[in-house]
Amino acid sequence: MSSNSSPPPSCWTVDWTPPLSSISCLFLWCTGEIVLSIYLWGILWSALVILLCFYSLCRISPRLSKLPGWISKDGTVNLEKELKECAGRVFVDSQPEFCLPERELLDLSTIDVILISNYHCMMALPYITEHTGFTGTVYATEPTLQIGRLLMEELVNFMERVPKAQSATCWKNKEIQRMLPGPLKDAVDVWTWKRCYSMQEVNSALSKVQLVGYSQKVELFGAVQVSPLSSGYSLGSSNWIIQSHHEKVSYVSGSSLLTTHPQPMDQSSLKNSDVLILTGLTQMPTANPDGMLGEFCSNLAMTIRAGGNVLVPCYSSGVIYDLLECLYQFIDNANLGTTPFYFISPVANSSLEFSQIFAEWLCHNKQTKVYLPEPPFPHAELIQTNKLKHYPSIHGDFSSEFRQPCVVFTGHPSLRFGDVVHFMELWGKSGLNTVIFTEPDFSYLDALAPYQPLAMKCVYCPIDTRLNFHQVSKFLKEVQPLHVVCPEQYTQPPLTQSHRSDLMLELQPPPMPYRRCAVLNLPFRRCYERVYILPELANSLVPSEVKPGITVATVSAVLHSKDNKHTLQSVPKPPPAAPSKKRKRVIEEPPATLAPKPLLSGAVPLEAFLATLQKHGITEVKVEETGEGHILHLQAEDTLIQLEEDGTHIVCDNNEPLRTTLRDLVLRFLQKL
Amino acid sequence: MDSECVSILPRVCEVLAASGSSLPDDTSLEKLLDWLTTITQTGVSLLEACPCLLDFLSNVALNAAPGPGILSFTLKLAGLIGGSEDGFKALEECSVLELVFAPHHWQESGLWEDPSLRIGWIQGLKAILQHSKALGFFVQADLLEPLLQLQTDSSLFVASAANQTLAHVLLLCQSLSSVGRDGTNKRDVEHNGVGVETNQNCSGVVSKVSEYLNESLVPRETSRLPHSQQILKLLSQLLVQVRPPLRETLLRAVLDSLEELATKSCSQLTLPLVDVLLAANSSLGDTDRIPKQRIGKLLSLVLDTKKPTDVVQAAAALMRSRQTDPDHSAHAARVLLLPLDIVTGVSLVDKDSTDEELRILMTEQLQSKTCVSMICMCLTNMPQITVMAPDRLPCPQSLVVRAVLSLLRLCRGDCSSSSAGCVGVFRYVTGSSKVQKCAMEALSALSKSPEVKIGLAEVFKLLTEYLNCPLSEPSVLQKSYKVLINWIDVCTDLSCISDQLREDLTQAVRKRACDTRWEARDSTVEFLGHLAEVRSCRTSGGEEREPSNALLGGRAFAVPLLKEALQDPESYVRASSIAALAQTLTPSWQQGAPVTQEQVEIVTRLQEILSQDSEGFARRAVVKYFIAWFSSCSSPTSCPLLVQHVPAVLSQGAADLDWEVKLHTLELAELLLDRAFPDPAPPHPYAVTPEGLIHGEDEESALLGSLNGVVDRGVVSALFCGLVDCDRPVALKACQLLLRLRAAVCPPTASAADTGVSCKLPGRSWAQEIRKIQGTNTDSEGGSAVGSEARGEAVEESSVGVREALRSLDLDEKLSILTQSSDHVYNSPLSLLQDILTASTAHSHPTSEPGQEVIVDCY
C-alpha cells in the first residue's frame, strides 16, 4: 500500500494537577501533527485555604472583631491588622481567597477541551476560562451546568454580602510566613491564591459550555469521540469515555453505586477499556452513607425532642435532596411533625425547583413519578404542607416567620461566609442546640475553630456517596479494564492507619499510580488508523485470494488527511497535454503515473527450490539453517542465497547472468499480485 | 379400640390390597401405621383385634400388584406385627415372614429398585427385631448381608435408615446376650438350647458387623468419604449406647482404623472422628481392658493436626463435649485461643507451649477469607473456656477479655492495639457484623469470669463506642446492650465508671432511642427496661444505688424516653416500651409510692393504645403492663389509679380481636380472682376451727362482698365473654376460671335458687351467646324465663344472677369439650379409615357423578 500519511501516532500521556483530594488531569491525544488537549475537570480549590480565613466572620460577630491581633512572641513581627488569634489558633482577617488548580505545568491557552464530571468540581471554571487565554470548549450535561451556575451564584452572593476590605498580604511575605504558626506557615503558593470571581466572569465562563446528553458521542476534531455516561453521584454527573476506532480510555470520577436520586451509574459502557483512569473516590471510606444518614436523623430528633435547634451547614444542592427525602419519611416516625424546617440560600428556591424538572436525569423510581404526574422529590410535599420553608436569606420574610425549635439548612459548609455564620453566633452558646456537618469537603474541627469555645453540640456525619474501596474492587471486576491508572494515595493504606489494608486498591495487575505533576506513559500504543476508500476507487480494485478467506488487492491512491480523517482517493489523471509552446513549470506537471511493479508474496519451499537448482545444474549446495531461515551456499559458483521470512537475497559478485537465473528461479515459487 | 374402626378395617384392607393409587393423600398410610403402632403400644395384640391384617399381608405378599407405597406399608406392618412373639409366630405359620423379608423376592419382581420399598424393608426389619426368635430368623435368612449392602445405598434416606437398623441389631444382640449371661427370667434361658443358639447368633452378628465397620472406616478413595463419615457417626452413636463387653469388642475391632484415620487427618472426617473418640473416651472406665490412654493418645493426635481449620474444629468439638480430661481441655483451649492471640497480638498462648508450625500455618490461614469462620468458631466456645479451672487455661481470663476487646476494636477499624503480623485479617474482620456478634457473645460469657472487674471500665468504654457508632448494625447494638446488662449485673461496684463515660453512655442511649431503624430503637427501650431490673450496686461515692440510677439517671432519664417511644410508628417498639415502662416503674409500685402525674399520663396513653392501636403486640403489652402493676402492688385497692382503670382494661381486653390479648386479659382477671378469693391455707391438723366460720353468715357476706367486687371490676363479664370466645385457648382459660369462681362462690350445699349478686349482660353478641347456653340448659332442666332471648328475640341489656349462671352454664361439659383439640374429630382413626374408603370409591367411579367434587379432609 502506498501512502503519504503522517508517521505512526505517538503515545498517550496523563498528567496530574491539583491539591489534596484532587481529581483533575490533562490528556494529550497525539496523532502526529495534531495534539488534542483534553482537560478532565477536577476539584475546585483547597478547603484548607478557606478555613484559614475568617474575614466575614469578624464583620458579623462583634466578639470575633474584638479578638486580639497576632504579634510574634519576640515582638518582631506585628500583624495585628491581618492576623487574629482565637482559641490558640491564628486566622487571616481577610476576604476568603481560593487556591486554584495547578497552572505551572500547563499552558491553559493550549487546552482544547474541558470535560466536566459534575457540578461540585466546576467551581473554579471561571479561573480557567477567563484571563488565561483559554479558547477551547467545555463540555458538560445540562444539570451540571445549571446547578453549577446556582452554586457559583450562591458563592458570589455570599461574597458580595460582606463589605469589601483590603487584602491581607503582609503575612504572605516569605520571610514573615516562615515565622508564623502552623498551618499558616505550611501554606504553599500563597501568592497564587485568588479572590472570588464575579457574576460576570461566571456568565462568561458558562457561556463556553457546550451541553451534552448521556451516551451522546461528540467528535473532537476527528481524533477521538468523547461521550458522557451517568456516574450515579449527582444530577447530571458523568464519567467520560474517550475513544478512537481502536482505543478506549475511560475517565471515572465521582461515581456512586448507591441508590440515591440521580440516574444509576452506567457500568456496562465502561467495559473493554484499554485504560481506566480512576479518581474521585469517597473522601470518607470509613463512613458508610446509610449509617451517616441514620446518625443525622437520630441526632436531629434527639435535639428537637430536647427543645434545641439543629443547624445543618450544607451546599444548596446535592446531598440536601437526599437529606430532605430521608427527613420526609422520618418526620412522622420521630414525631417531629410540627417542627419547621428552613432552607436558607440565595438559590434555595431555584435549587429545589431545578431538582424537580430534571426528570430524565433521575433514577428510575423518580422518573416514573413524573408520569403519574407527581413531583419526583418529596420535598415538594414538604413545601406544600409548610413543613419546609425556603428563603433567600435570613433577612426579610424569614425573620418574621422564624420559630424555634427548628432545623435550618444553610451554607456555606466551611462556616466562613453565608447565613450559617449568623446561626452559629445565635445558637452556639446553648448546649441544647446541635450543628450537624454532612458535607465531607471540610474538616469540621477546623470549621468550628473560630467559634470556640462553643456550648452547642457538634455532630459530624459526612455523607459521601462516592465509591469506596470495596465498591471499586467489585466495579473493576465487572468492567475489567486492561489497565487502571489512579492517584498514588489509593494504592496504599492511609498514613495514619497503615494496618487498614481494606482502605486501598488491590488489583491484579496492579494499578499505575500517579502523583502530582507526574507524567505517565500509558501502557499501550496506537497501532492502527482507520482509512476510508472512496467508492469509485474501491470499484477499481482487483482482489485476488492469497489464502482461503484472505483476499488482497493493490491500490494506488492519494491519501487525503483532514481533521484526523484519512481518505484514499483516486489518483487524478493528467489532463491531456495542450499544445503549447510555453514551457510549463516543473511544479505544475502532474505526477507521472507509472505502472506499479507487481507485488510478490509467498514463501520459497527449500526442498523444491534445491530440486530446481539441481535441474539447472547447480548441485553443490550447502544449506545452513539460521534463526530467520536458511542460507544456501552454491559452492561451485561462490554464491549465497539467503532465504528469510521477509526477504530473499542473492549475493553474487560479478555474475549478472547467474543472478538473473537465480532470481527467476526464486520468482517461480512466488505469487504475483 | 373403637369398634367402628374394627368393623371398617377389613374393607380398608381390601381397598389397600386391591390398589394403592386411590389414597386420599400421601400421608394416609403413615397415619394408619401410626394408629396401629399406638394400638400395639397399649398392649393389645394387633392380630387378635384385627385378624384381617394377616390376610392383608398374605394377599399383598403373594400378589405384588399394588404400588410400592402399599408394599412398603405392608413390610412395615409385618414388622409391627412380628415385633411381638405371638405375631411373629402367626406370620411364620402362614409363611408370610420369609416371603416379605426376602430381598430376592422383591429383586426378582424388580420392585427392589424403588427406594420406598427398601425403606419399608429396613424399617419392617427394625420393627421385628425385638426378640430372640426374630434374631434367629434374621441370621438364618442371612439378612445381615443385604442390610450391610444397604449401608451404602444410593438413596441417602435408605442408607441412613439402614444405618439406624444396624445399630438396632447390635443393641438387640447386646440385650439378648446380657439376658443369657445374667440368667434372669427369660424363656430363652429356661430353654437352654434356645439360649445357646441366641448367643451364637449374637456373637456371629457382632463379629460380622465389627468386621464390616473396621473395613469401612478408612476410605480407600475419595468417593468413599461420605460412607466413612456415616460409619463414624454410627460408631459414635453405638459407643454411647453399648455396654461391655460389646463396647470392647467394637472398639477393639476399629481401634487400628481409628488410629489410621487420626494419622491421616482427613478434613471431612475430623469432626465425626472426634465424636467417636469422645464417645469412646467417656464410655471407657478404668476397668476396661482397652486402655483409656490409647483413646486419649488418639485425641491428642487429632489436636496436633497441622491443618488449622481441622484442628480448630476438633478443639471446638472437644470443648463442647465437656467430658474430656483436663489435659485435653487445656490443649483444646490453647488451640481455640491461638487465632485470637495471632489476630489481636495479646499473648494468650505461650509461644513455647504451641507448635511453631501450627502458629505459622494458622497465621497464614487467617489472612484468607476463612478467617471469619475460624475466629467465630473460637469465640463461640468462649463460654466453655470461661468455666475452665484457671490453672488449665494458658493465660488469665483478664487477658482473654482484653483480646476480645481488642478484636472488637479491630472490627471497628481501630488497629492501634493489634498485632502487626496479621495485617491481612483486617480486611475481613473490619465491619464484619458476624465477628462482632460472636465477640459480643464471648464478652457476655466472660462477664461471668471472676476476674471481670479488671476490665470493667474498658468494657464499658468499648460498648459505649459501639452504641455510639453509626455503623453498628441493629443486631450488634442489641448484643452490645445485652453485654452491658450482663456486665452491670455481675458488677457490684460501678465506681470505676467515670462521669465522662456515663455521659457518653447517656448520649448514646438517647441517640439510639431516636434511631431511624426500629430494631435499634426497640433494643434501646428493652435495654432501659432490663437495666431497671438489675440489682443495686456500689457507686463511686460508696453508696448503694440502682445501676439505672447510677449510670443513666434512673427513672427521670428513662421514663420520658419510654413515653416518647409509646408514640413510635413501629408496633414492636411500642410494645417494648410498654414492657420497659412496667419494668422501670415496678420498684415504685412495690414500694407503694404515690402516683405521679407522669403515671397518669402513661395510663391514659396505654388506654388509648388498648382501644385504638391496630397492632396486637402493643395491645398485648398494655394488658401485661396492668398484670405487672397489679402483681407488684401489695395492696392494689389502695392504688386508686389502678383500681380505676382495671375495669376498662378487662372490658376492652376481653372484646379484643387478638386472642393473646384476650388470654392476657383473663390472666389479669385471674389475678383479681386470686385477690378476691385467696386459696385457703391448708388447715393445720390440730388447729381449732373457729365456730361459725364455715358457712357462717359472716363468711357468706364476705363472699358476697368479694363477688360483688369482682363483678364490679368487670371480671365476671370478662370471663363470660371469654367462655363463648371462638378461640379455644381463651374459652378454655375462661372456663377454668369460671369453674374456680363457681367452686369459691357456689358451695355444693347452698340452694340453687339463691340470689344475691348479679352481673349485667350487655346487648352484645357474647352476652346473647351466654343467654342462649343458659337458656338451653335451664330449658332442659324444666324451662326458663330467658328462653325467649335465646330464640333470637330483641336483646337488651339485662342482669343475670352470677351464682345461677355459674350453675346453669354446664361448665364441666364445656371444659371437657374445650380440653380436646379442635381437630380431634378430623384426626380420628375413624375419619382416616373413612377417607380411605371414600377416596377409593371416588377413584373406582370417577364419572359416576359428574360435576360433584369429592371433598376430602386435608391433614
Side-chain angles (χ1 to χ4, degrees), chain A residues 286 288 295 333 500-501 506, chain B residues 413 426-427 471 511 564 569:
Chain A
T286 55
N288 171 291
E295 193 75 355
N333 286 4
R500 294 292 297 263
S501 55
E506 270 189 330
Chain B
F426 305 136
R427 177 179 291 272
L471 303 178
K511 188 172 75 180
E564 198 79 49

Side-chain angles (χ1 to χ4, degrees), chain A residues 608-619 621 665 668-669:
Chain A
F609 184 59
L610 288 175
T612 311
L613 287 178
Q614 205 160 12
K615 268 188 195 169
H616 286 77
I618 302 168
T619 51
V621 182
L665 289 179
R668 279 188 196 179
F669 291 94

Side-chain angles (χ1 to χ4, degrees), chain A residues 144-434:
Chain A
T144 302
L145 172 70
Q146 299 300 354
I147 299 176
R149 182 193 296 277
L150 290 183
L151 293 180
M152 290 184 197
E153 195 182 319
E154 183 188 45
L155 185 71
V156 173
N157 193 302
F158 283 156
M159 293 298 163
E160 286 174 352
R161 277 190 206 171
V162 287
K164 302 278 179 294
Q166 59 186 37
S167 291
T169 49
C170 297
W171 73 274
K172 292 183 180 176
N173 184 304
K174 272 186 185 171
E175 293 306 313
I176 296 176
Q177 192 193 357
R178 216 171 38 202
M179 298 165 75
L180 298 177
L184 286 177
K185 184 174 66 178
D186 309 316
V188 289
D189 300 334
V190 289
W191 287 104
T192 65
W193 294 3
K194 295 277 181 203
R195 281 190 179 190
C196 187
Y197 36 69
S198 67
M199 205 56 220
Q200 197 183 357
E201 287 169 319
V202 170
N203 289 331
S204 169
L206 295 183
S207 68
K208 295 180 176 72
V209 175
Q210 186 120 6
L211 296 181
V212 279
Y214 284 151
S215 302
Q216 183 186 333
K217 287 177 178 160
V218 179
E219 193 89 10
L220 298 185
F221 311 106
V224 288
Q225 272 184 346
V226 294
S227 183
L229 303 172
S230 173
S231 76
Y233 171 52
S234 59
L235 276 176
S237 64
S238 320
N239 289 322
W240 292 88
I241 297 180
I242 303 155
Q243 60 187 339
S244 68
H245 293 298
H246 301 286
E247 293 86 18
K248 180 173 173 182
V249 173
S250 302
Y251 178 67
V252 174
S253 166
S255 302
S256 175
L257 288 170
L258 301 181
T259 313
T260 55
H261 61 271
Q263 219 181 83
M265 180 179 177
D266 180 354
Q267 294 186 68
S268 57
S269 305
L270 295 168
K271 286 182 181 174
N272 304 320
S273 298
D274 295 291
V275 172
L276 188 143
I277 301 166
L278 177 72
T279 150
L281 300 189
T282 176
Q283 294 187 64
M284 297 288 152
T286 55
N288 171 291
D290 281 338
M292 290 300 136
L293 211 52
E295 193 75 355
F296 170 80
C297 288
S298 33
N299 278 295
L300 184 143
M302 193 166 76
T303 307
I304 297 292
R305 281 185 189 179
N309 300 292
V310 176
L311 177 63
V312 187
C314 60
Y315 293 120
S316 52
S317 183
V319 173
I320 187 169
Y321 303 140
D322 297 320
L323 290 179
L324 290 175
E325 181 153 4
C326 183
L327 283 174
Y328 169 78
Q329 293 160 357
F330 185 67
I331 284 173
D332 292 331
N333 286 4
N335 305 317
L336 302 176
T338 55
T339 310
F341 289 73
Y342 301 116
F343 176 21
I344 304 168
S345 158
V347 296
N349 186 33
S350 315
S351 167
L352 292 174
E353 284 182 0
F354 266 131
S355 64
Q356 305 284 19
I357 59 166
F358 288 125
E360 61 175 298
W361 307 89
L362 295 173
C363 63
H364 178 71
N365 277 349
K366 295 208 182 302
Q367 278 192 24
T368 50
K369 280 192 173 185
V370 180
Y371 299 104
L372 291 177
E374 275 177 23
F377 284 94
H379 56 240
E381 197 184 318
L382 289 177
I383 295 169
Q384 213 169 21
T385 53
N386 264 337
K387 285 177 180 166
L388 173 67
K389 294 177 181 180
H390 55 86
Y391 303 92
S393 78
I394 52 169
H395 308 292
D397 290 346
F398 174 73
S399 50
S400 56
E401 291 178 32
F402 176 53
R403 142 176 97 77
Q404 303 185 66
C406 63
V407 182
V408 171
F409 297 89
T410 190
H412 186 270
S414 65
L415 305 191
R416 293 297 180 271
F417 41 83
D419 295 307
V420 71
V421 177
H422 294 275
F423 288 100
M424 285 303 295
E425 286 297 309
L426 184 69
W427 290 340
K429 296 173 201 78
S430 167
L432 283 177
N433 303 324
T434 305

Side-chain angles (χ1 to χ4, degrees), chain A residues 286-288 291-295 297-299 301-302 305 330 333 335 457 497-502 504 506, chain B residues 412-415 418-420 423-424 426-427 430 468 470-471 507 510-516 564 567-569:
Chain A
T286 55
N288 171 291
M292 290 300 136
L293 211 52
E295 193 75 355
C297 288
S298 33
N299 278 295
M302 193 166 76
R305 281 185 189 179
F330 185 67
N333 286 4
N335 305 317
K457 280 197 290 289
Q497 292 171 295
S498 56
H499 285 77
R500 294 292 297 263
S501 55
D502 55 322
M504 59 179 278
E506 270 189 330
Chain B
R412 290 190 56 231
D414 176 3
C415 316
S418 62
S419 134
V423 176
F426 305 136
R427 177 179 291 272
T430 305
N468 238 326
L471 303 178
Q507 283 301 320
R510 209 190 284 277
K511 188 172 75 180
R512 290 291 160 221
C514 303
D515 203 286
T516 47
E564 198 79 49
Q567 317 278 349
D568 200 281

Side-chain angles (χ1 to χ4, degrees), chain B residues 80-191:
Chain B
L80 187 65
I81 293 171
S84 71
E85 291 193 28
D86 294 340
F88 183 83
K89 202 175 162 191
L91 290 177
E92 215 172 18
E93 279 167 4
C94 64
S95 312
V96 168
L97 199 61
E98 286 170 17
L99 200 60
V100 292
F101 286 110
H104 61 87
H105 171 65
W106 305 112
Q107 281 161 351
E108 281 164 12
S109 59
L111 289 161
W112 191 250
E113 297 303 310
D114 196 298
S116 64
L117 188 121
R118 300 204 295 277
I119 284 268
W121 185 85
I122 293 166
Q123 289 183 348
L125 199 62
K126 190 181 175 189
I128 207 169
L129 282 169
Q130 304 294 335
H131 44 81
S132 58
K133 281 183 184 164
L135 184 70
F137 163 69
F138 177 74
V139 173
Q140 276 160 23
D142 200 15
L143 298 182
L144 180 61
E145 198 51 42
L147 183 63
L148 292 179
Q149 281 170 8
L150 286 171
Q151 303 295 313
T152 51
D153 197 272
S154 55
S155 157
L156 280 179
F157 297 104
V158 173
S160 168
N163 220 226
Q164 299 296 319
T165 306
L166 193 63
H168 178 78
V169 169
L170 284 177
L171 291 171
L172 177 70
C173 289
Q174 172 175 268
S175 66
L176 292 176
S177 312
S178 64
V179 166
R181 200 175 53 249
D182 298 347
T184 44
N185 55 358
K186 289 281 173 177
R187 272 184 288 168
D188 284 355
V189 187
E190 284 165 21
H191 207 295

